Amino acid sequence: MEQEEKTLALCQQLQDKNQLKLSAYRKGEKAFQLLKKEAEKFVACFHEHHPDSEIEVLYRNKQEKSFSLQFGSDVLFFMLHSNTFEFNRDHEVMKLPYIREDKNRSFCGLINIYNFLTDSVVYNRYNDAGYLIGRVFVNAENHYYIDGKKEVGQIYNNFANNIIDEQAVHTILEAAIQYSIGFDLLVPPYDLVKEITVMDMVEIDNMHAPIQTSKRLGFRFQADM
């Protein structure tokens, strides 16, 4: 009987834990769909107010768990992770009264936001790097927390009160765009690019791009750089 009780308890633990993770993932998935809609709205707004612009502003939605927003020389790539995450015990979130009251609230779906150069995508420069500029965490109660660079990281963070909705994702999207516009391509250090190989030259002649280009090539990517 004792063994049966242990087995039943384990079954219940399995059910509860995975249901929690699934609930958090589904909330993150709903937030991701809202982001897609906001990205489409932004593109429509730009084209409406700048119909003759030479700047390309495009929304691409080819995958269920990812989409991209291109504007001028930048691309934002949004990715919904297929797993659910918990904050580590040393993270500042774990010290919040909201989490201490119920540790299950620390399990979240995760949306990553990356910034790439448009030319890196257009010219298939596979060696070019993109940068993670923000992460959106959404728990089973539909509350969200953000960490990220400058404008993205400065969004008012109150995990206990912040609910992910259309207004929230609108703010997140515009903050990511604003940051990317101000995150400019720097000239790399001379010594880093002073040599190329014959293979590099041949590849360039063949319309390939083996030489890496990215916004902070040769520089450390720091919080407020």
Side-chain angles (χ1 to χ4, degrees):
M1 189 63 180
E2 182 180 349
Q3 184 60 49
E4 183 180 355
E5 289 177 353
K6 288 183 178 179
T7 301
L8 291 175
L10 181 59
C11 288
Q12 189 63 52
Q13 181 184 9
L14 175 63
Q15 166 65 22
D16 293 345
K17 187 66 170 289
N18 283 275
Q19 187 59 53
L20 170 65
K21 290 181 177 180
L22 183 59
S23 296
Y25 173 78
R26 284 175 174 166
K27 289 298 195 304
E29 189 175 38
K30 287 182 180 179
F32 191 69
Q33 295 304 319
L34 287 176
L35 271 169
K36 286 185 175 183
K37 290 180 181 178
E38 287 300 317
E40 288 183 283
K41 288 180 183 178
F42 177 81
V43 172
C45 178
F46 181 86
H47 290 156
E48 178 183 354
H49 293 281
H50 301 278
D52 301 320
S53 176
E54 296 183 64
I55 308 302
E56 280 196 306
V57 179
L58 304 170
Y59 166 77
R60 293 187 178 90
N61 178 26
K62 295 182 179 180
Q63 301 294 332
E64 180 184 357
K65 292 181 172 59
S66 66
F67 72 91
S68 64
L69 177 62
Q70 176 185 326
F71 44 97
S73 60
D74 286 282
V75 173
L76 283 175
F77 179 71
F78 296 79
M79 184 189 75
L80 173 67
H81 205 288
S82 60
N83 294 108
T84 303
F85 294 84
E86 182 186 21
F87 291 96
N88 70 70
R89 66 182 66 181
D90 297 323
H91 197 283
E92 61 182 12
V93 163
M94 301 302 287
K95 302 172 185 177
L96 299 174
Y98 173 67
I99 300 298
R100 288 182 174 178
E101 289 171 6
D102 185 353
K103 189 171 177 291
N104 287 340
R105 292 167 172 166
S106 67
F107 287 89
C108 296
L110 172 61
I111 300 169
N112 291 311
I113 308 172
Y114 294 91
N115 179 216
F116 289 87
L117 292 168
T118 294
D119 281 1
S120 297
V121 179
V122 171
Y123 297 112
N124 296 320
R125 297 195 309 228
Y126 297 122
N127 291 322
D128 287 5
Y131 294 97
L132 179 66
I133 64 170
R135 299 188 294 179
V136 184
F137 300 89
V138 185
N139 70 12
E141 295 182 350
N142 212 37
H143 290 225
Y144 72 93
Y145 176 86
I146 297 176
D147 63 10
K149 303 292 183 181
K150 282 191 176 177
E151 284 84 355
V152 181
Q154 289 169 4
I155 292 175
Y156 178 64
N157 259 333
N158 188 328
F159 204 2
N161 297 318
N162 282 356
I163 303 296
I164 199 81
D165 55 17
E166 287 187 12
Q167 183 56 51
V169 297
H170 178 83
T171 300
I172 292 167
L173 180 70
E174 289 201 345
I177 294 170
Q178 186 69 53
Y179 177 77
S180 300
I181 291 174
F183 180 35
D184 293 313
L185 179 64
L186 296 184
V187 176
Y190 182 88
D191 286 342
L192 193 67
V193 294
K194 66 181 181 182
E195 297 177 352
I196 65 171
T197 66
V198 172
M199 177 62 73
D200 290 335
M201 182 180 65
V202 171
E203 289 293 300
I204 292 170
D205 279 344
N206 291 331
M207 299 300 292
H208 298 144
I211 301 174
Q212 187 182 49
T213 304
S214 59
K215 289 190 174 182
R216 291 296 183 266
L217 187 65
F219 299 92
R220 293 184 63 188
F221 184 54
Q222 297 175 334
D224 294 319
M225 183 174 285

